[in-house]
Amino acid sequence: MAAIAPPASAPRPRGEPIPTIASTLEPTWIRWLLIGIALTFLTLFLFVPLVAVFVEALKKGWQTYLMAVIEPDALAAIRLTLLIAAISVPLNLVFGVAAAWTIAKFDFRGKNILLTLIDLPFSVSPVISGLIYVLLFGAQGWFGPWLQEHDIKILFAVPGMVLATIFVTFPFVARELIPLMQSQGSEEEEAALVLGASGWKTFWHVTLPNIKWGLLYGVILCNARAMGEFGAVSVVSGHIRGETNTIPLQVEILYNEYNFAAAFAVASLLALLALVTLALKSFIEWRLQESGEQPNGGH
């Protein structure tokens, strides 16, 4: 006897919601409990500390706040922080695009090793990252004697701080672009090459428009980490006041001197940076969703 085929289900009218399996629905009290736990955690560990920074910064009035921000050492720290970010972020952008292009568009021996090396700063303490450069460029390091002989200063100067910042921030752009490029494939680039476009034209007119929002997303995260980095930069900076102190290092010095109003005033600059970064991040995530791209949420 021939088997009777089950009746075909009627097509669901357009706009009708997809029915939800009852077994996946949690009781209302569990949902409210989970929401309450999440909000309590965010309040205690995010909102309260963030508000406390601004409250303490403005505790003695706007005049004290402005005096702390425009104090010469604070201005030097701000300038140095911006300089380090202005150098390290573009270099990481170039590296990130090149690494993502190589990993997403080509198959080669050692690809997994390259991916592991890109993730290395995520698993290594920033302090260890700074010590690596001390071992390389310190007075007793591998290249220390040669550098001293040629009067080249890397440690306790801007070059060492830039190197340490690049090390801790270089995965951000690459790790944002790799899954995005892999999901897009290489059909459009291959079509452009077949039609006679050069490699540069293919990149500028095909690849870059497809990854522009993911690229900007990675750059924003990289810049935020570069300006807020403490551990690696602290090891190689030498803490020379007015010369090698970034904003985070200046906050530490002021706090250790019990100058709490000035410490929180300078710290509020980093808090404002975090808020701006969050706003830009949310905007770009929205644009990524609008364009059908998906940001890599692992950071």
Side-chain angles (χ1 to χ4, degrees):
M1 181 181 295
I4 300 176
S9 58
R12 183 179 296 108
R14 183 181 298 273
E16 180 181 333
I18 300 175
T20 305
I21 301 175
S23 61
T24 63
L25 295 178
E26 300 291 347
T28 303
W29 70 270
I30 292 183
R31 281 180 282 170
W32 282 108
L33 176 63
L34 294 175
I35 294 172
I37 292 174
L39 290 177
T40 301
F41 185 89
L42 289 174
T43 301
L44 293 177
F45 296 100
L46 179 61
F47 300 139
V48 171
L50 189 61
V51 171
V53 169
F54 290 100
V55 169
E56 291 294 329
L58 299 171
K59 194 173 184 179
K60 295 185 178 180
W62 280 101
Q63 185 174 1
T64 302
Y65 179 87
L66 292 176
M67 290 299 295
V69 172
I70 65 174
E71 192 264 336
D73 288 344
L75 290 176
I78 294 171
R79 287 193 297 268
L80 181 58
T81 302
L82 295 175
L83 174 64
I84 292 174
I87 297 173
S88 59
V89 172
L91 292 176
N92 282 327
L93 186 151
V94 174
F95 167 80
V97 173
W101 178 285
T102 301
I103 292 173
K105 305 297 182 180
F106 303 102
D107 289 323
F108 56 92
R109 186 176 300 175
K111 178 188 286 191
N112 290 334
I113 296 177
L114 179 57
L115 280 169
T116 302
L117 292 177
I118 290 175
D119 289 338
L120 185 63
F122 289 143
S123 58
V124 175
S125 168
V127 175
I128 301 301
S129 305
L131 288 175
I132 292 173
Y133 291 102
V134 173
L135 293 174
L136 289 176
F137 305 118
Q140 306 301 322
W142 291 3
F143 306 110
W146 184 88
L147 293 173
Q148 287 183 340
E149 182 180 346
H150 293 81
D151 196 24
I152 300 175
K153 195 169 184 179
I154 294 182
L155 284 185
F156 313 136
V158 174
M161 301 174 72
V162 170
L163 289 174
T165 303
I166 290 174
F167 182 87
V168 299
T169 56
F170 76 78
F172 286 93
V173 176
R175 262 305 173 188
E176 192 57 45
L177 292 181
I178 289 171
L180 179 58
M181 285 187 171
Q182 287 176 333
S183 66
Q184 291 176 346
S186 58
E187 290 81 5
E188 293 186 19
E189 286 86 354
E190 292 172 356
L193 293 173
V194 169
L195 293 174
S198 64
W200 277 112
K201 283 187 176 181
T202 300
F203 174 77
W204 285 109
H205 297 288
V206 178
T207 303
L208 190 58
N210 288 336
I211 66 171
K212 60 181 183 297
W213 290 111
L215 180 62
L216 185 57
Y217 187 90
V219 167
I220 289 174
L221 295 179
C222 179
N223 181 72
R225 176 64 187 273
M227 297 183 70
E229 176 56 32
F230 177 83
V233 172
S234 177
V235 174
V236 301
S237 70
H239 297 271
I240 304 174
R241 201 159 192 160
E243 295 183 19
T244 63
N245 277 338
T246 58
I247 296 177
L249 301 182
Q250 180 69 10
V251 172
E252 182 197 30
I253 288 179
L254 293 172
Y255 192 85
N256 290 337
E257 293 176 347
Y258 301 100
N259 191 353
F260 299 127
F264 281 103
V266 178
S268 68
L269 300 178
L270 291 177
L272 288 173
L273 171 65
L275 293 175
V276 171
T277 301
L278 181 62
L280 291 174
K281 179 175 174 287
S282 300
F283 171 74
I284 293 174
E285 285 178 341
W286 172 74
R287 289 306 302 262
L288 286 171
Q289 292 174 357
E290 288 288 315
S291 62
E293 304 172 19
Q294 290 296 328
N296 180 15
H299 309 310

